[in-house]
Structures are given as C-alpha cells and as structure tokens.
Amino acid sequence: MSHVLNITHSILGQPWRWRALETDARGDLSGDDLVTQLLLSRGCSREALEAHRNPSIRGFMPDPSIFRDMDRAAERLAAAVLSGERVAVFGDYDVDGATSAALMIRLLRSLGLDPVAYIPDRLMEGYGPSGEALVRLAGDGASLIVTVDCGAQAFDALDMARGVGVDVIVVDHHKCATELPAAYALVNPNRLDEAEGAAHGHLAAVGVAFLLGAALIRTLRARGHFATRPEPRLIELLDIVALGTVADVAALRGLNRAFVAQGLKMMAQRRNIGLSALIEAARLTRAPTATDLGFALGPRINAGGRVGKSDLGVRLLTTEDPDEARTIAAELDLLNEERRTIEGNVQAEAEAMARPDRAVTIVAGRGWHPGVIGIVAGRLKEKFGKPAIVIAVDEGGVGKGSGRSVPGVDLGQAVLAAKEAGLLVAGGGHAMAAGLTIDEAELDRFGDFLEARLADGVARSVGDRALLVDALLAPRGVTPGLVESLEAGGPYGMGWPAPRVAAGPVRIVKADVVGNGHVRAIMAGEDGARLKTVAFRQADSALGQALLAAPADRRLWIAGRAKIDDWGSRPAAEMHLDDAAWAE
C-alpha cells in the first residue's frame, strides 16, 4: 500500500490517495468488508450501512408534504382526476424532461385521464414553456397544465397562461430566483424559501415528479377514489425514474440511490414496452446497469431532442404498442449515430478554441448544432478539469449555451447571477449543469463575469484534485468476483463515485491503438498473471503514449475501474485505466 500512497506525481501528473481513512483495514478487503469500506468512504455513517447496502424507497422516501406547494399541487391534480379535466403535460426535450413527462402521463392515464403531451422543438422553440404554447394548449381545451423539468424561470409564459385562465403546476429542480413565476403551484426542492425539502435539492425533476405522484395517490386514497377501482402501483414507474436520474447526472445519494437501485430491478423485468425496445436497440444482452443508463440508453432518448424530433422520447416511454416502440427505438438509434458525427465535429473546433489560461472554458461558434453543445461541454470539462460552457451562435447573433461544472463550483447559480446582472437573455440550471441564451456582443463581458466569480473556487477544486483509490491488488486479484463485490456498493454515479482499484506492479506485454483512439494493453504481474486493460480516448495523451512506448522491462502501477469483459466463452475481468505511474 505504501507504493500507492507515495505516488505524488503519476504519468498524468496527479497524486494518488486513499479515498478515505475511515478504517485501518483498507486496500486489502474482500466481500462484505469491501462493501462496508466502499459505503463508509462515500459518506455513509455506520448506523446507515444496512439501509445503504440495499437502498429501498421505503427507507429513504420523505413525506411529500414537506415540500412547499406539494399538497396544493396534489389537490389540484386530484380535482382534475375526479372531474375528468383535460390535462396537458409540458416537458423538456432532454432525458430528465422526457422521463418526467412520461411518468406523469402514464400515472394520469392509469387514473382515467387522457393527458396531452407537449415537448417543445429544441431549435424552433428553445428551452422551457413559451406563453404562446401554453395559451395554445389552453385553447385546445386544457384547463390544467403541468410543466416538468422546466418552468421555474418562466415568468412571462406563466403570466400569459394565467391571463387565459389556465392553471399551471410547475414541477422542477433548477435553481430559482427570489421571485417566483405566477404558477398555481410550484414544486421545486431548490426554491429559496424551501425548508425541509431543501435537503432533497439533488433530486432530478423526475424524482420530484415521482413525489408528486405519491402525493396525488395519497390524496385520492383519502377521498375514497380507490374504493371501487385499483390503485396505481407507482413503484412500477421506477424504471423511468432511474433513467432520468442517472442521465441528468443527479447525485446518487439518499433517495436517488433508492430510485436507481430499485428502478434497475424494475427495468430488468422489461415491463415498459418502450424501454425494452430501447434496450434491444442499444444491443444490451443483459440487465442494464447504472452505467448503461448514462451511456447507452440516455443518449438515445436525448438524440430525438438533439438532432431529430423532440417528442420521440416521451412517445417511446409511454407507448403500449410493441411495433411502435420498435420503430421509435430504431429511429432514436439512427439519430444517436448522427448525433455522434455532429458532436465530433463541434468538439474538434471547440477544443482548438479553448484557452487554458482561463478558469472557465467558454467557447462559441457559428454553425454549431445546439443539440450537441451540452455533450461537448462535458467533454471539455473532462479534458481540462474545469467548468466549460459551449455556445452555438445563430445567424442573428443569438447564442444558445450549455455548461458543465466540476465538484465544488456552482455553475447554475453563477449563470443565474449573470442573468440578473443583465449579461444574459435567459439562464439557469443547477450546480453541475446550466443553460443560457446570450447576445453575441456580451460574450466577452460574460466570460469576465464568470472568471471573476468562479476563479477562486475552480483553483480550490483543481488544487484538491487527486486520483482517489479504494483498493490495492495484485494483478491476479482483478477477477469477476472482485467486480461483483465492488458492484454491491452501488449504484454508482454523480456524488457516489464508482470504485477505483490500483494494481501492480505490472509490465506491458503488448499495447496497441483500437477504435477511436483507445489504447488496449495486455499486462503481466510479477507472477506472470495477465490482465487486459483499456485506456479510452487516450492514444494522444501522456498516458496513452507511455503505454504504447513502455519498455518491456519497465514496471508500472495502474489505476482504474475493474469491469467484466464478456467477450468470449466465459466472463473475465479487465481494467479501464484512469492513470498509471512508474514503479521505479
């Protein structure tokens, strides 16, 4: 263990440290002891260990009534159900918006309503509810509109809706200003006037929608609505709650852990016809994992809103027709491939424009597709290790931007402050992600504003950065059994990082470049045990070059994620590398 702890400057120039010093027996644990260490090192108290080993909804679910406006929203929805009102659900075009809308639509259908779904076109209408759209829905007969994953900043739109006499319930999780828009009810744990509910500010919008669903069912139960009809099983919608939670990069702590853990179990049952078709389109032959939600299923749902039809995701998640589900899933799969091509072109241009001397990477370009800027911002954040904002500017000089942040730097609040300072046409978000609209002429002032506001926080984040290691192993210890034990501490994601193991010393038997700049290497331990490794998109980095050029007699320590390699007749284990360090 001393080798790992003494690594102060790896090939990628970072120290390696133990993730936590919670126990003396670290790095050489196995089975349940390893799971205990994983939970403790991610902030779980000893008293809460059992609850976190198998996160349940019952164990983490708060009383929905603690949230402001929750009871008011539930009462209004219950009245709509009891009187058979025309209800419209207005969503966002990303995965959180699609899953939030799908949850509300499926729940309201099970209660006897036939709700209308409205997802704005990303290019033509932009983010959030427009007054014109809300008025149009009211004109088509909707007396109640529920906005999900949007609406917290829709002042003008909600004023227009109130003007035509339609009630609007806002279900959101984005940062709120001091003043709130004129909604009938606004349910958002990130309201500035929240008290108990503020502890759940890390929920994605789909999680907030689930809580509203629970409050609605409770309200209807109290009114005797289920005396002669079956009560909906909200638990059966956890598969789409899990998808939205992971895809929106919500912190996987507390209730979110239960949402994802139980949602994955529900997803494995293939109850949702659309999700089942999407799993097949993504060519997954096993039960999906949390990683699959973020990297296989989520991007395909997103593809509709990014480069195709914004409502495809909601249609897929709410259809009961297997043929329609397969058709939509296939279309989303094709659109996802198109998205990848567009994304690659924008990313190459954006990387060339990035200024390494700035605390916040801000790049803008004309002709960039606004549907991929969020993904590219995430790539830039990973590459440079600091917040990044990518802005697509149209022919009229109006820029649509999307940003991604690093832990400890609240980008959403900074963007909201820039809006209040008059630098943005619109803007908001949460700590780790934000969206904005800006006049091209304000780009320099906006950049200077963020630099002054966030530079110190970014410097602290960068200064505190180290590669955190959960266990040290000999190469022969990287086995399918180890992977199984590590997975037992999950689900993993934002706020609950996947475990990283260090192994070594090893020498490189063979290394080559495969796919899109990935470095594949076969390594051997001192006892001759071999281990397959992959360093994704590292061919041009210092790590990739070191692996490709390492002398056969020089040894390394390696660090990364232990994964199952199911290519072949029987599963084996491999490592996805994050870093390496010379052993001598």
Side-chain angles (χ1 to χ4, degrees), residues 1-21 26 41-42 382 461-472 497-503 535 538 543 556-562 575-582:
M1 288 185 288
S2 60
H3 291 284
V4 175
L5 293 175
N6 284 337
I7 292 175
T8 59
H9 195 80
S10 68
I11 289 175
L12 290 180
Q14 58 191 336
W16 294 5
R17 299 179 188 144
W18 291 111
R19 190 174 301 276
L21 304 178
R26 59 187 179 277
S41 64
R42 281 152 183 78
E382 294 298 326
S461 175
V462 172
D464 292 341
R465 199 164 298 153
L467 193 80
L468 301 181
V469 175
D470 291 286
L472 171 63
R500 181 181 289 113
V501 301
Q538 294 290 330
L543 173 60
L556 300 117
W557 292 95
I558 56 175
R561 320 287 182 178
M575 278 184 63
H576 296 175
L577 300 185
D578 295 320
D579 201 358
W582 299 113

Short mmCIF file of all heavy atoms in Angstrom, two decimals, residues 1-21 26 41-42 382 461-472 497-503 535 538 543 556-562 575-582:
data_model
loop_
_atom_site.label_atom_id
_atom_site.label_comp_id
_atom_site.label_asym_id
_atom_site.label_seq_id
_atom_site.Cartn_x
_atom_site.Cartn_y
_atom_site.Cartn_z
N MET A 1 0.82 -1.20 0.00
CA MET A 1 0.00 0.00 0.00
C MET A 1 0.86 1.26 0.00
O MET A 1 0.46 2.29 -0.52
CB MET A 1 -0.93 0.01 1.21
CG MET A 1 -2.06 -1.00 1.12
SD MET A 1 -3.22 -0.86 2.50
CE MET A 1 -2.23 -1.54 3.81
N SER A 2 2.03 1.19 0.56
CA SER A 2 2.87 2.38 0.65
C SER A 2 3.24 2.89 -0.72
O SER A 2 3.40 4.09 -0.92
CB SER A 2 4.14 2.07 1.46
OG SER A 2 4.87 1.03 0.82
N HIS A 3 3.39 1.97 -1.71
CA HIS A 3 3.69 2.41 -3.06
C HIS A 3 2.62 3.35 -3.58
O HIS A 3 2.91 4.40 -4.15
CB HIS A 3 3.81 1.20 -3.99
CG HIS A 3 5.01 0.35 -3.71
ND1 HIS A 3 6.26 0.71 -4.09
CD2 HIS A 3 5.11 -0.84 -3.08
CE1 HIS A 3 7.12 -0.24 -3.73
NE2 HIS A 3 6.45 -1.19 -3.11
N VAL A 4 1.35 2.96 -3.40
CA VAL A 4 0.26 3.79 -3.90
C VAL A 4 0.22 5.11 -3.18
O VAL A 4 0.10 6.17 -3.77
CB VAL A 4 -1.08 3.04 -3.75
CG1 VAL A 4 -2.24 3.93 -4.16
CG2 VAL A 4 -1.08 1.78 -4.60
N LEU A 5 0.34 5.06 -1.83
CA LEU A 5 0.25 6.29 -1.06
C LEU A 5 1.42 7.21 -1.33
O LEU A 5 1.33 8.41 -1.12
CB LEU A 5 0.16 5.95 0.43
CG LEU A 5 -1.12 5.24 0.87
CD1 LEU A 5 -1.04 4.85 2.33
CD2 LEU A 5 -2.32 6.15 0.65
N ASN A 6 2.54 6.68 -1.78
CA ASN A 6 3.72 7.50 -2.04
C ASN A 6 3.75 8.06 -3.45
O ASN A 6 4.68 8.77 -3.81
CB ASN A 6 5.00 6.69 -1.79
CG ASN A 6 5.27 6.52 -0.30
OD1 ASN A 6 4.80 7.32 0.50
ND2 ASN A 6 6.02 5.49 0.06
N ILE A 7 2.77 7.74 -4.27
CA ILE A 7 2.76 8.27 -5.63
C ILE A 7 2.25 9.70 -5.58
O ILE A 7 1.09 9.97 -5.31
CB ILE A 7 1.89 7.40 -6.56
CG1 ILE A 7 2.56 6.04 -6.74
CG2 ILE A 7 1.67 8.08 -7.91
CD1 ILE A 7 1.74 5.05 -7.53
N THR A 8 3.14 10.62 -5.82
CA THR A 8 2.79 12.04 -5.77
C THR A 8 2.71 12.66 -7.15
O THR A 8 2.17 13.76 -7.30
CB THR A 8 3.82 12.82 -4.95
OG1 THR A 8 5.12 12.64 -5.54
CG2 THR A 8 3.85 12.32 -3.52
N HIS A 9 3.21 11.97 -8.15
CA HIS A 9 3.19 12.55 -9.50
C HIS A 9 3.15 11.40 -10.50
O HIS A 9 4.16 10.82 -10.87
CB HIS A 9 4.44 13.40 -9.74
CG HIS A 9 4.31 14.30 -10.94
ND1 HIS A 9 3.63 15.49 -10.91
CD2 HIS A 9 4.76 14.15 -12.21
CE1 HIS A 9 3.68 16.06 -12.10
NE2 HIS A 9 4.35 15.27 -12.90
N SER A 10 1.95 11.07 -10.94
CA SER A 10 1.75 9.96 -11.86
C SER A 10 2.09 10.39 -13.28
O SER A 10 2.52 11.52 -13.54
CB SER A 10 0.30 9.51 -11.80
OG SER A 10 -0.54 10.53 -12.34
N ILE A 11 1.85 9.51 -14.23
CA ILE A 11 2.07 9.84 -15.63
C ILE A 11 1.20 11.02 -16.06
O ILE A 11 1.62 11.87 -16.85
CB ILE A 11 1.81 8.61 -16.53
CG1 ILE A 11 2.95 7.58 -16.32
CG2 ILE A 11 1.71 8.99 -18.00
CD1 ILE A 11 2.74 6.27 -17.05
N LEU A 12 -0.01 11.12 -15.49
CA LEU A 12 -0.89 12.25 -15.80
C LEU A 12 -0.69 13.42 -14.83
O LEU A 12 -1.48 14.37 -14.81
CB LEU A 12 -2.35 11.80 -15.79
CG LEU A 12 -2.75 10.88 -16.96
CD1 LEU A 12 -4.23 10.50 -16.85
CD2 LEU A 12 -2.46 11.53 -18.31
N GLY A 13 0.36 13.33 -14.01
CA GLY A 13 0.73 14.46 -13.17
C GLY A 13 -0.10 14.68 -11.93
O GLY A 13 -0.26 15.81 -11.47
N GLN A 14 -0.66 13.61 -11.36
CA GLN A 14 -1.50 13.78 -10.17
C GLN A 14 -1.10 12.80 -9.09
O GLN A 14 -0.57 11.72 -9.37
CB GLN A 14 -2.96 13.59 -10.53
CG GLN A 14 -3.29 12.23 -11.15
CD GLN A 14 -4.68 12.17 -11.73
OE1 GLN A 14 -5.57 12.91 -11.33
NE2 GLN A 14 -4.89 11.29 -12.70
N PRO A 15 -1.34 13.15 -7.82
CA PRO A 15 -1.06 12.21 -6.73
C PRO A 15 -2.17 11.17 -6.64
O PRO A 15 -3.29 11.40 -7.09
CB PRO A 15 -1.04 13.10 -5.49
CG PRO A 15 -1.97 14.22 -5.84
CD PRO A 15 -1.80 14.46 -7.32
N TRP A 16 -1.83 10.03 -6.04
CA TRP A 16 -2.84 9.01 -5.74
C TRP A 16 -3.02 8.97 -4.23
O TRP A 16 -2.05 8.94 -3.47
CB TRP A 16 -2.40 7.64 -6.23
CG TRP A 16 -2.27 7.49 -7.72
CD1 TRP A 16 -2.42 8.46 -8.67
CD2 TRP A 16 -1.95 6.30 -8.44
NE1 TRP A 16 -2.21 7.95 -9.93
CE2 TRP A 16 -1.93 6.62 -9.81
CE3 TRP A 16 -1.69 4.99 -8.05
CZ2 TRP A 16 -1.66 5.68 -10.80
CZ3 TRP A 16 -1.40 4.05 -9.03
CH2 TRP A 16 -1.40 4.39 -10.39
N ARG A 17 -4.28 8.93 -3.81
CA ARG A 17 -4.56 8.89 -2.38
C ARG A 17 -5.69 7.91 -2.12
O ARG A 17 -6.51 7.64 -2.98
CB ARG A 17 -4.98 10.28 -1.86
CG ARG A 17 -3.92 11.35 -2.03
CD ARG A 17 -4.43 12.68 -1.53
NE ARG A 17 -3.49 13.76 -1.85
CZ ARG A 17 -3.84 14.99 -2.19
NH1 ARG A 17 -5.13 15.30 -2.24
NH2 ARG A 17 -2.94 15.90 -2.46
N TRP A 18 -5.73 7.40 -0.86
CA TRP A 18 -6.87 6.60 -0.47
C TRP A 18 -8.11 7.48 -0.43
O TRP A 18 -8.04 8.63 -0.01
CB TRP A 18 -6.64 5.97 0.90
CG TRP A 18 -5.58 4.92 0.90
CD1 TRP A 18 -4.36 4.99 1.49
CD2 TRP A 18 -5.65 3.64 0.25
NE1 TRP A 18 -3.66 3.84 1.25
CE2 TRP A 18 -4.42 2.99 0.49
CE3 TRP A 18 -6.62 3.00 -0.51
CZ2 TRP A 18 -4.15 1.72 0.01
CZ3 TRP A 18 -6.35 1.74 -0.99
CH2 TRP A 18 -5.12 1.11 -0.73
N ARG A 19 -9.24 6.94 -0.87
CA ARG A 19 -10.45 7.74 -0.89
C ARG A 19 -10.85 8.19 0.51
O ARG A 19 -11.35 9.29 0.70
CB ARG A 19 -11.61 6.95 -1.52
CG ARG A 19 -12.84 7.81 -1.77
CD ARG A 19 -13.91 7.06 -2.51
NE ARG A 19 -13.46 6.55 -3.79
CZ ARG A 19 -13.44 7.28 -4.92
NH1 ARG A 19 -13.82 8.54 -4.89
NH2 ARG A 19 -13.02 6.73 -6.04
N ALA A 20 -10.64 7.33 1.51
CA ALA A 20 -10.96 7.72 2.88
C ALA A 20 -10.09 6.93 3.83
O ALA A 20 -9.59 5.86 3.49
CB ALA A 20 -12.44 7.48 3.17
N LEU A 21 -9.91 7.46 5.02
CA LEU A 21 -9.12 6.78 6.04
C LEU A 21 -10.05 6.33 7.17
O LEU A 21 -9.73 6.40 8.34
CB LEU A 21 -8.05 7.74 6.58
CG LEU A 21 -7.13 8.33 5.51
CD1 LEU A 21 -6.14 9.29 6.15
CD2 LEU A 21 -6.37 7.22 4.79
N ARG A 26 -7.77 -1.13 5.00
CA ARG A 26 -8.20 -0.64 3.71
C ARG A 26 -7.26 -1.17 2.65
O ARG A 26 -6.08 -1.42 2.89
CB ARG A 26 -8.21 0.89 3.67
CG ARG A 26 -6.85 1.51 3.96
CD ARG A 26 -6.94 3.04 4.09
NE ARG A 26 -5.65 3.61 4.39
CZ ARG A 26 -5.14 3.68 5.61
NH1 ARG A 26 -5.82 3.23 6.63
NH2 ARG A 26 -3.95 4.21 5.82
N SER A 41 -16.56 5.12 2.85
CA SER A 41 -15.71 6.11 2.19
C SER A 41 -16.50 7.05 1.29
O SER A 41 -15.95 8.03 0.80
CB SER A 41 -14.62 5.40 1.37
OG SER A 41 -15.18 4.65 0.33
N ARG A 42 -17.78 6.77 1.08
CA ARG A 42 -18.63 7.66 0.29
C ARG A 42 -19.61 8.45 1.16
O ARG A 42 -20.57 9.02 0.66
CB ARG A 42 -19.37 6.84 -0.78
CG ARG A 42 -18.45 6.55 -1.95
CD ARG A 42 -18.77 5.27 -2.68
NE ARG A 42 -17.79 5.05 -3.74
CZ ARG A 42 -16.56 4.58 -3.54
NH1 ARG A 42 -16.17 4.26 -2.31
NH2 ARG A 42 -15.71 4.43 -4.54
N GLU A 382 -14.12 17.39 -18.85
CA GLU A 382 -13.28 16.25 -18.52
C GLU A 382 -11.85 16.45 -19.01
O GLU A 382 -10.90 16.09 -18.31
CB GLU A 382 -13.87 14.97 -19.14
CG GLU A 382 -15.21 14.55 -18.55
CD GLU A 382 -15.10 14.22 -17.08
OE1 GLU A 382 -14.06 13.70 -16.64
OE2 GLU A 382 -16.08 14.49 -16.35
N SER A 461 -10.75 23.70 -6.40
CA SER A 461 -11.14 22.39 -6.92
C SER A 461 -9.95 21.69 -7.58
O SER A 461 -9.70 20.51 -7.35
CB SER A 461 -12.28 22.54 -7.92
OG SER A 461 -12.60 21.31 -8.52
N VAL A 462 -9.21 22.44 -8.39
CA VAL A 462 -8.04 21.87 -9.07
C VAL A 462 -6.96 21.50 -8.07
O VAL A 462 -6.32 20.45 -8.15
CB VAL A 462 -7.50 22.85 -10.12
CG1 VAL A 462 -6.18 22.35 -10.70
CG2 VAL A 462 -8.52 23.06 -11.24
N GLY A 463 -6.74 22.38 -7.07
CA GLY A 463 -5.70 22.12 -6.08
C GLY A 463 -5.97 20.91 -5.22
O GLY A 463 -5.04 20.25 -4.77
N ASP A 464 -7.25 20.63 -5.00
CA ASP A 464 -7.62 19.49 -4.17
C ASP A 464 -7.69 18.18 -4.96
O ASP A 464 -7.95 17.13 -4.38
CB ASP A 464 -8.99 19.73 -3.52
CG ASP A 464 -8.94 20.85 -2.49
OD1 ASP A 464 -7.83 21.17 -2.04
OD2 ASP A 464 -10.00 21.41 -2.17
N ARG A 465 -7.47 18.26 -6.25
CA ARG A 465 -7.73 17.10 -7.09
C ARG A 465 -6.61 16.06 -6.94
O ARG A 465 -5.43 16.36 -6.96
CB ARG A 465 -7.83 17.54 -8.55
CG ARG A 465 -8.53 16.53 -9.43
CD ARG A 465 -8.94 17.18 -10.74
NE ARG A 465 -9.88 18.26 -10.49
CZ ARG A 465 -10.04 19.30 -11.28
NH1 ARG A 465 -9.30 19.42 -12.35
NH2 ARG A 465 -10.92 20.24 -10.99
N ALA A 466 -7.03 14.83 -6.77
CA ALA A 466 -6.11 13.70 -6.72
C ALA A 466 -6.87 12.49 -7.22
O ALA A 466 -8.11 12.46 -7.24
CB ALA A 466 -5.61 13.47 -5.30
N LEU A 467 -6.14 11.48 -7.64
CA LEU A 467 -6.76 10.23 -8.05
C LEU A 467 -7.04 9.42 -6.79
O LEU A 467 -6.11 9.04 -6.07
CB LEU A 467 -5.84 9.45 -8.99
CG LEU A 467 -6.51 8.29 -9.72
CD1 LEU A 467 -7.31 8.83 -10.91
CD2 LEU A 467 -5.50 7.28 -10.19
N LEU A 468 -8.31 9.19 -6.49
CA LEU A 468 -8.69 8.51 -5.25
C LEU A 468 -8.84 7.02 -5.49
O LEU A 468 -9.52 6.59 -6.43
CB LEU A 468 -9.99 9.10 -4.72
CG LEU A 468 -9.94 10.61 -4.44
CD1 LEU A 468 -11.28 11.09 -3.90
CD2 LEU A 468 -8.82 10.95 -3.47
N VAL A 469 -8.21 6.23 -4.64
CA VAL A 469 -8.12 4.78 -4.80
C VAL A 469 -8.84 4.10 -3.65
O VAL A 469 -8.72 4.50 -2.49
CB VAL A 469 -6.64 4.34 -4.84
CG1 VAL A 469 -6.52 2.83 -4.87
CG2 VAL A 469 -5.93 4.96 -6.05
N ASP A 470 -9.61 3.06 -3.98
CA ASP A 470 -10.36 2.32 -2.96
C ASP A 470 -9.68 1.03 -2.52
O ASP A 470 -9.92 0.56 -1.41
CB ASP A 470 -11.76 1.96 -3.50
CG ASP A 470 -12.64 3.18 -3.66
OD1 ASP A 470 -13.11 3.70 -2.64
OD2 ASP A 470 -12.86 3.61 -4.80
N ALA A 471 -8.86 0.43 -3.39
CA ALA A 471 -8.25 -0.85 -3.03
C ALA A 471 -6.98 -1.05 -3.84
O ALA A 471 -6.85 -0.55 -4.96
CB ALA A 471 -9.21 -2.00 -3.30
N LEU A 472 -6.02 -1.77 -3.25
CA LEU A 472 -4.78 -2.13 -3.92
C LEU A 472 -4.73 -3.64 -4.10
O LEU A 472 -4.99 -4.38 -3.15
CB LEU A 472 -3.57 -1.67 -3.09
CG LEU A 472 -2.21 -2.15 -3.55
CD1 LEU A 472 -1.88 -1.61 -4.93
CD2 LEU A 472 -1.14 -1.76 -2.53
N PRO A 497 -19.15 8.00 -6.28
CA PRO A 497 -18.25 7.60 -7.36
C PRO A 497 -17.98 6.10 -7.43
O PRO A 497 -17.88 5.43 -6.39
CB PRO A 497 -16.97 8.39 -7.07
CG PRO A 497 -17.06 8.70 -5.61
CD PRO A 497 -18.50 8.88 -5.29
N ALA A 498 -17.87 5.62 -8.64
CA ALA A 498 -17.54 4.21 -8.86
C ALA A 498 -16.17 3.91 -8.27
O ALA A 498 -15.26 4.75 -8.30
CB ALA A 498 -17.55 3.89 -10.36
N PRO A 499 -15.99 2.73 -7.70
CA PRO A 499 -14.72 2.41 -7.05
C PRO A 499 -13.57 2.31 -8.04
O PRO A 499 -13.73 1.87 -9.18
CB PRO A 499 -14.99 1.06 -6.38
CG PRO A 499 -16.13 0.48 -7.13
CD PRO A 499 -16.96 1.63 -7.59
N ARG A 500 -12.43 2.73 -7.57
CA ARG A 500 -11.21 2.66 -8.38
C ARG A 500 -10.20 1.78 -7.65
O ARG A 500 -10.01 1.91 -6.44
CB ARG A 500 -10.62 4.05 -8.59
CG ARG A 500 -9.36 4.07 -9.44
CD ARG A 500 -8.82 5.49 -9.58
NE ARG A 500 -9.68 6.30 -10.44
CZ ARG A 500 -10.38 7.34 -10.03
NH1 ARG A 500 -10.36 7.68 -8.74
NH2 ARG A 500 -11.12 8.05 -10.86
N VAL A 501 -9.59 0.87 -8.37
CA VAL A 501 -8.58 0.00 -7.78
C VAL A 501 -7.23 0.27 -8.42
O VAL A 501 -7.14 0.69 -9.58
CB VAL A 501 -8.94 -1.50 -7.95
CG1 VAL A 501 -10.28 -1.79 -7.29
CG2 VAL A 501 -8.98 -1.89 -9.42
N ALA A 502 -6.20 0.06 -7.65
CA ALA A 502 -4.83 0.13 -8.15
C ALA A 502 -4.28 -1.29 -8.17
O ALA A 502 -4.61 -2.11 -7.32
CB ALA A 502 -3.97 1.02 -7.27
N ALA A 503 -3.47 -1.58 -9.17
CA ALA A 503 -2.88 -2.91 -9.30
C ALA A 503 -1.44 -2.77 -9.78
O ALA A 503 -1.07 -1.82 -10.46
CB ALA A 503 -3.69 -3.76 -10.28
N ALA A 535 -7.46 1.97 -22.10
CA ALA A 535 -7.45 3.39 -21.75
C ALA A 535 -8.22 4.12 -22.84
O ALA A 535 -7.72 4.31 -23.94
CB ALA A 535 -6.02 3.92 -21.64
N GLN A 538 -7.31 7.76 -25.08
CA GLN A 538 -6.05 8.21 -24.50
C GLN A 538 -4.85 8.06 -25.45
O GLN A 538 -3.72 8.28 -25.04
CB GLN A 538 -5.76 7.43 -23.21
CG GLN A 538 -6.73 7.69 -22.08
CD GLN A 538 -6.59 9.08 -21.51
OE1 GLN A 538 -5.53 9.68 -21.50
NE2 GLN A 538 -7.70 9.63 -21.02
N LEU A 543 -0.68 9.45 -20.95
CA LEU A 543 -0.92 8.08 -20.51
C LEU A 543 -0.85 7.12 -21.69
O LEU A 543 -0.17 6.09 -21.63
CB LEU A 543 -2.28 7.98 -19.82
CG LEU A 543 -2.75 6.57 -19.43
CD1 LEU A 543 -1.77 5.92 -18.47
CD2 LEU A 543 -4.16 6.62 -18.83
N LEU A 556 5.01 -0.80 -14.00
CA LEU A 556 4.09 0.28 -13.67
C LEU A 556 3.10 -0.14 -12.60
O LEU A 556 2.82 -1.33 -12.43
CB LEU A 556 3.26 0.68 -14.90
CG LEU A 556 3.93 1.18 -16.15
CD1 LEU A 556 3.63 0.21 -17.28
CD2 LEU A 556 3.39 2.56 -16.51
N TRP A 557 2.57 0.86 -11.90
CA TRP A 557 1.34 0.71 -11.16
C TRP A 557 0.24 1.27 -12.04
O TRP A 557 0.43 2.27 -12.72
CB TRP A 557 1.39 1.49 -9.84
CG TRP A 557 2.38 0.92 -8.85
CD1 TRP A 557 3.66 1.31 -8.65
CD2 TRP A 557 2.14 -0.15 -7.95
NE1 TRP A 557 4.25 0.55 -7.69
CE2 TRP A 557 3.34 -0.35 -7.23
CE3 TRP A 557 1.03 -0.96 -7.68
CZ2 TRP A 557 3.45 -1.33 -6.24
CZ3 TRP A 557 1.15 -1.93 -6.69
CH2 TRP A 557 2.35 -2.10 -5.99
N ILE A 558 -0.90 0.63 -12.04
CA ILE A 558 -2.02 1.11 -12.83
C ILE A 558 -3.22 1.33 -11.92
O ILE A 558 -3.34 0.69 -10.87
CB ILE A 558 -2.40 0.13 -13.96
CG1 ILE A 558 -2.70 -1.27 -13.40
CG2 ILE A 558 -1.30 0.08 -15.02
CD1 ILE A 558 -3.19 -2.26 -14.45
N ALA A 559 -4.10 2.26 -12.31
CA ALA A 559 -5.30 2.54 -11.53
C ALA A 559 -6.47 2.75 -12.47
O ALA A 559 -6.33 3.37 -13.53
CB ALA A 559 -5.09 3.78 -10.65
N GLY A 560 -7.62 2.23 -12.08
CA GLY A 560 -8.80 2.38 -12.92
C GLY A 560 -9.97 1.59 -12.38
O GLY A 560 -10.01 1.21 -11.20
N ARG A 561 -10.93 1.32 -13.24
CA ARG A 561 -12.15 0.63 -12.85
C ARG A 561 -12.08 -0.84 -13.28
O ARG A 561 -11.74 -1.13 -14.44
CB ARG A 561 -13.37 1.26 -13.53
CG ARG A 561 -13.34 2.78 -13.58
CD ARG A 561 -13.58 3.41 -12.24
NE ARG A 561 -13.58 4.87 -12.33
CZ ARG A 561 -13.82 5.69 -11.33
NH1 ARG A 561 -14.08 5.20 -10.13
NH2 ARG A 561 -13.80 7.00 -11.48
N ALA A 562 -12.38 -1.73 -12.38
CA ALA A 562 -12.43 -3.16 -12.71
C ALA A 562 -13.80 -3.45 -13.32
O ALA A 562 -14.83 -3.11 -12.74
CB ALA A 562 -12.21 -4.00 -11.46
N MET A 575 -9.43 -4.04 -16.76
CA MET A 575 -9.39 -2.73 -16.12
C MET A 575 -9.49 -1.63 -17.16
O MET A 575 -8.81 -1.68 -18.19
CB MET A 575 -8.12 -2.56 -15.28
CG MET A 575 -8.23 -3.20 -13.90
SD MET A 575 -6.79 -2.90 -12.85
CE MET A 575 -6.82 -1.11 -12.66
N HIS A 576 -10.35 -0.66 -16.87
CA HIS A 576 -10.44 0.54 -17.68
C HIS A 576 -9.60 1.60 -16.98
O HIS A 576 -9.95 2.07 -15.90
CB HIS A 576 -11.90 0.98 -17.81
CG HIS A 576 -12.75 -0.01 -18.53
ND1 HIS A 576 -14.12 0.13 -18.67
CD2 HIS A 576 -12.44 -1.17 -19.17
CE1 HIS A 576 -14.61 -0.89 -19.37
NE2 HIS A 576 -13.61 -1.70 -19.66
N LEU A 577 -8.49 1.97 -17.60
CA LEU A 577 -7.47 2.76 -16.92
C LEU A 577 -7.81 4.24 -16.83
O LEU A 577 -8.28 4.85 -17.79
CB LEU A 577 -6.12 2.59 -17.61
CG LEU A 577 -5.55 1.17 -17.67
CD1 LEU A 577 -4.16 1.18 -18.28
CD2 LEU A 577 -5.53 0.53 -16.29
N ASP A 578 -7.51 4.81 -15.66
CA ASP A 578 -7.59 6.25 -15.45
C ASP A 578 -6.20 6.88 -15.40
O ASP A 578 -6.03 8.06 -15.70
CB ASP A 578 -8.30 6.56 -14.14
CG ASP A 578 -9.76 6.14 -14.16
OD1 ASP A 578 -10.42 6.31 -15.19
OD2 ASP A 578 -10.23 5.62 -13.12
N ASP A 579 -5.20 6.10 -14.98
CA ASP A 579 -3.85 6.65 -14.81
C ASP A 579 -2.87 5.50 -14.61
O ASP A 579 -3.27 4.34 -14.44
CB ASP A 579 -3.82 7.59 -13.60
CG ASP A 579 -2.66 8.58 -13.63
OD1 ASP A 579 -1.84 8.52 -14.57
OD2 ASP A 579 -2.58 9.42 -12.71
N ALA A 580 -1.61 5.83 -14.64
CA ALA A 580 -0.54 4.86 -14.35
C ALA A 580 0.64 5.62 -13.78
O ALA A 580 0.75 6.85 -13.92
CB ALA A 580 -0.14 4.11 -15.62
N ALA A 581 1.51 4.90 -13.12
CA ALA A 581 2.71 5.52 -12.53
C ALA A 581 3.86 4.52 -12.62
O ALA A 581 3.65 3.31 -12.44
CB ALA A 581 2.45 5.92 -11.08
N TRP A 582 5.04 5.02 -12.88
CA TRP A 582 6.21 4.13 -12.97
C TRP A 582 6.52 3.56 -11.60
O TRP A 582 6.45 4.27 -10.59
CB TRP A 582 7.41 4.87 -13.51
CG TRP A 582 7.20 5.42 -14.90
CD1 TRP A 582 7.13 6.72 -15.27
CD2 TRP A 582 7.01 4.65 -16.10
NE1 TRP A 582 6.91 6.82 -16.63
CE2 TRP A 582 6.83 5.57 -17.16
CE3 TRP A 582 6.96 3.29 -16.38
CZ2 TRP A 582 6.60 5.17 -18.47
CZ3 TRP A 582 6.75 2.89 -17.68
CH2 TRP A 582 6.58 3.81 -18.71
#
